Amino acid sequence: MSISISASVGLGGRNKPTDVALVQQLLNNTGDHKLTIDGLAGTKTYEAIKSFQKSVVKLFKPDSLISPHGQTIKKLASYNLNTSTTSSDSVLGMKANKFLTLYQKEYSALSKANLTGLSHLIDFIITDTEITDIRWAAYMLATTKHETNHTMLPIEEYGKGGNRPYGKEITVTDNNGKEHKNTYYGRGYVQLTWDYNYKSLSEKLKMGEDLYIYPDKVLDEKIAYQVMSYGMRHGSFTSRSLNKYISGGQCDYINARKIINGTDRAQKIADYAVTIEILLRLCRIATHSKNESFGCLTKSRACVA
Amino acid sequence: MNLYSLITSLIIKSTTIYFILLGTACAEPFNLQTIINDSLIGKSQASQRAQLRIIINWPDSCEETFTAPTAGFIFFKKSETQHIAQIICTYGSYQGMSLFYEVDTSATIVTIKPLKLPVYNKSPVTEAWGNILASSTVNAFNILNLYSGYGHCGSLTTYDLSGNTPKIIKLRLQDNCDKKPAIRDPEKWKEVEIH
């Protein structure tokens, strides 16, 4: 398994958290360092890189900077210990603020609205007792990133169902006898469509007929999250569920795409999931223990391999 | 009663016995032409799905993923005796997956042929993802296959159904889901030249 970083790490480097964490882990694997694996590049990490470059790589001018194709990363890669590749830790004890920082360092700074959206989403995940596997959280966030075009906010389907099979206006009557003219086009992080799906999810989320009578409620962030969480765990969209692809020692982020759609862009979303899983684990590790197993990083940045 | 109806009737009678023996369900007698006609005017019943499956016999993998309380099939007319049947296997989040069959009722025995749909730059598929949209062209339909629920990438393919196999006659493609600004109207995606 080849080890690589996507961008430079160290003094003056790009320092993407997933790259930094990988370097920190590999440096620790040499036995000469005891860095906190937090994905954040600081003085101790720079010094450790410099020391490694001097004593192992034998650079004439150690500069504390590791480039993606340089000698330092090649040497460091030999310290890959091939630890376990997947584990189903929970999201308990995660620090949301740290995740938001790492996410923006990894990708790019979010607008205020999108940052708020992501902040709410991560809060929902952390407090969702049904999310018993950190990789489910990673895949849900990756799916949301893709399905909302990186906004991390619930969206309305373009065209609102116009000329789609589910786009016909339906008149429904609430408990007070009032009529509502509704169209059950796609709404949410992961879009809910069709009248019977609105009705069914509403009942399963113990909301009576609320979503059926008032479909725009699915644009509410909390409800959109509940729809996504329940739907992806129970196979409400395609009859395939998270558990089928991500469970115990199995972690198939590529085929997990079938929970929502076909396999178009499955690799892209899987890549997001791998990165986000690492970011989530970094938040847990700093909270729990410096010595927590961190196999996902050293193996491949890919639970999907 | 014409010969076709007689054969269909015989099939149904046999099938009814089969179901009774299994003790599962008792199929109502039905007529394929009624199922087709009902579909063409948008009046299909959910109960007709099981009846149609007796004739088309699509795979279990398609049936197991279909959970909607609808008929989940649509007929497209090619001629008086030839139709394309779209069997929906799942409605998905914002688009479904379907199988397609050519149903020929011109002879005394109904002929069913599974269809593969050509896909630009890929191998033909039997499982097609996307929403089927009406086309202004006779004997054609559009499949809008979105790569994302946001609707800013995907393909809009027009298939000609008049020949022996479906052919792509028009394609709009937005392959890049990171293109900025995002274009959410498929009619504004770049048209690809089809050879």
Side-chain angles (χ1 to χ4, degrees):
Chain A
M1 183 67 68
S2 65
I3 293 288
S4 63
I5 51 175
S6 62
S8 56
V9 171
L11 191 60
R14 167 71 176 76
N15 290 324
K16 291 170 83 170
T18 49
D19 292 330
V20 173
L22 175 62
V23 165
Q24 289 170 330
Q25 168 99 45
L26 293 171
L27 286 166
N28 284 355
N29 289 352
T30 66
D32 296 331
H33 306 280
K34 287 184 179 174
L35 297 168
T36 298
I37 302 168
D38 58 4
L40 299 171
T43 311
K44 287 182 181 174
T45 302
Y46 299 156
E47 285 173 358
I49 293 171
K50 193 171 187 176
S51 165
F52 182 79
Q53 289 176 322
K54 190 175 180 181
S55 60
V56 180
V57 190
K58 309 287 186 192
L59 289 186
F60 181 63
K61 285 186 177 178
D63 57 3
S64 299
L65 183 65
I66 304 175
S67 67
H69 306 293
Q71 295 177 61
T72 309
I73 190 64
K74 285 176 186 165
K75 280 280 184 189
L76 264 179
S78 66
Y79 290 90
N80 174 24
L81 296 181
N82 267 332
T83 50
S84 68
T85 54
T86 67
S87 70
S88 53
D89 306 324
S90 76
V91 290
L92 287 173
M94 249 179 29
K95 286 191 171 175
N97 281 344
K98 181 168 183 191
F99 178 80
L100 298 178
T101 302
L102 294 181
Y103 183 93
Q104 292 185 94
K105 275 181 175 284
E106 185 70 30
Y107 294 111
S108 57
L110 294 170
S111 70
K112 191 176 176 184
N114 296 355
L115 182 60
T116 304
L118 179 58
S119 173
H120 290 163
L121 198 48
I122 198 74
D123 283 343
F124 298 144
I125 288 174
I126 291 171
T127 53
D128 185 347
T129 54
E130 301 294 334
I131 302 300
T132 54
D133 189 324
I134 199 168
R135 299 166 302 174
W136 291 2
Y139 196 75
M140 287 200 303
L141 285 164
T143 296
T144 302
K145 181 174 173 60
H146 176 75
E147 294 292 350
T148 67
N149 193 24
H150 313 287
T151 66
M152 312 309 272
L153 295 166
I155 55 166
E156 282 187 296
E157 174 192 322
Y158 176 77
K160 298 188 175 184
N163 75 5
R164 308 290 169 90
Y166 48 77
K168 292 172 189 162
E169 188 177 84
I170 296 174
T171 302
V172 298
T173 309
D174 64 23
N175 287 337
N176 299 320
K178 186 181 175 187
E179 289 191 342
H180 303 259
K181 293 184 186 303
N182 293 336
T183 307
Y184 297 94
Y185 56 80
R187 297 172 176 89
Y189 296 118
V190 174
Q191 291 184 21
L192 191 61
T193 49
W194 295 93
D195 55 340
Y196 58 86
N197 280 333
Y198 276 79
K199 198 171 198 172
S200 167
L201 258 295
S202 193
E203 287 166 2
K204 282 166 180 166
L205 296 174
K206 303 189 190 318
M207 299 173 69
E209 288 198 326
D210 237 22
L211 303 184
Y212 181 60
I213 303 293
Y214 307 104
D216 278 344
K217 285 193 174 183
V218 180
L219 293 170
D220 174 271
E221 288 172 314
K222 187 164 189 179
I223 293 172
Y225 173 75
Q226 289 174 315
V227 167
M228 172 170 69
S229 174
Y230 185 95
M232 291 182 75
R233 285 184 289 106
H234 291 86
S236 303
F237 304 109
T238 62
S239 85
R240 294 180 168 117
S241 59
L242 279 165
N243 199 45
K244 179 178 170 71
Y245 303 101
I246 305 165
S247 172
Q250 182 195 18
C251 185
D252 185 353
Y253 281 149
I254 291 180
N255 281 301
R257 179 63 178 149
K258 293 175 184 170
I259 297 165
I260 305 297
N261 201 348
T263 52
D264 283 312
R265 300 304 176 271
Q267 182 66 60
K268 185 183 184 69
I269 299 163
D271 290 344
Y272 289 151
V274 169
T275 298
I276 290 171
E277 181 190 336
I278 293 169
L279 300 182
L280 291 171
R281 287 184 184 281
L282 287 171
C283 298
R284 282 193 76 243
I285 283 163
T287 311
H288 284 264
S289 159
K290 290 180 184 177
N291 299 319
E292 190 161 352
S293 169
F294 213 9
C296 190
L297 282 179
T298 51
K299 132 202 169 262
S300 64
R301 346 202 44 197
C303 292
V304 290
Chain B
M1 180 181 285
N2 61 27
L3 187 57
Y4 167 70
S5 299
L6 182 64
I7 291 167
T8 307
S9 174
L10 285 172
I11 292 170
I12 299 317
K13 282 175 184 168
S14 306
T15 310
T16 306
I17 293 165
Y18 177 70
F19 278 128
I20 291 168
L21 286 174
L22 283 178
T24 51
C26 182
E28 292 291 321
F30 65 89
N31 181 292
L32 176 61
Q33 200 58 54
T34 305
I35 294 176
I36 293 173
N37 291 342
D38 285 352
S39 173
L40 292 175
I41 57 170
K43 299 285 184 188
S44 293
Q45 303 293 316
S47 60
Q48 290 177 324
R49 185 176 174 94
Q51 297 170 346
L52 185 60
R53 195 170 179 224
I54 292 169
I55 295 173
I56 295 187
N57 192 29
W58 57 83
D60 291 346
S61 56
C62 174
E63 199 59 14
E64 285 160 7
T65 53
F66 187 79
T67 55
T70 62
F73 65 82
I74 298 168
F75 277 88
F76 299 89
K77 188 173 183 177
K78 280 181 72 173
S79 69
E80 288 304 317
T81 56
Q82 286 187 312
H83 295 81
I84 303 290
Q86 177 201 1
I87 309 299
I88 296 157
C89 303
T90 176
Y91 282 112
S93 171
Y94 44 85
Q95 62 184 15
M97 189 272 279
S98 305
L99 304 176
F100 290 87
Y101 297 86
E102 187 173 88
V103 179
D104 188 335
T105 54
S106 60
T108 50
I109 295 176
V110 180
T111 307
I112 308 293
K113 186 175 90 175
L115 293 180
K116 284 189 172 183
L117 294 181
V119 179
Y120 178 70
N121 270 351
K122 290 181 186 170
S123 302
V125 296
T126 51
E127 298 181 349
W129 279 90
N131 278 313
I132 313 296
L133 309 178
S135 168
S136 54
T137 309
V138 177
N139 260 334
F141 61 51
N142 297 313
I143 296 185
L144 175 60
N145 177 20
L146 296 177
Y147 303 158
S148 157
Y150 192 73
H152 61 306
C153 48
S155 62
L156 177 61
T157 312
T158 305
Y159 288 98
D160 173 18
L161 307 172
S162 60
N164 286 333
T165 55
K167 283 182 184 163
I168 298 176
I169 52 174
K170 191 175 177 184
L171 171 66
R172 289 189 181 279
L173 186 66
Q174 178 49 267
D175 216 30
N176 183 0
C177 293
D178 292 323
K179 186 179 169 67
K180 290 179 182 173
I183 302 170
R184 298 178 79 186
D185 182 356
E187 294 294 343
K188 291 182 179 166
W189 293 345
K190 191 176 176 185
E191 187 170 343
V192 177
E193 196 173 331
I194 303 297
H195 299 288

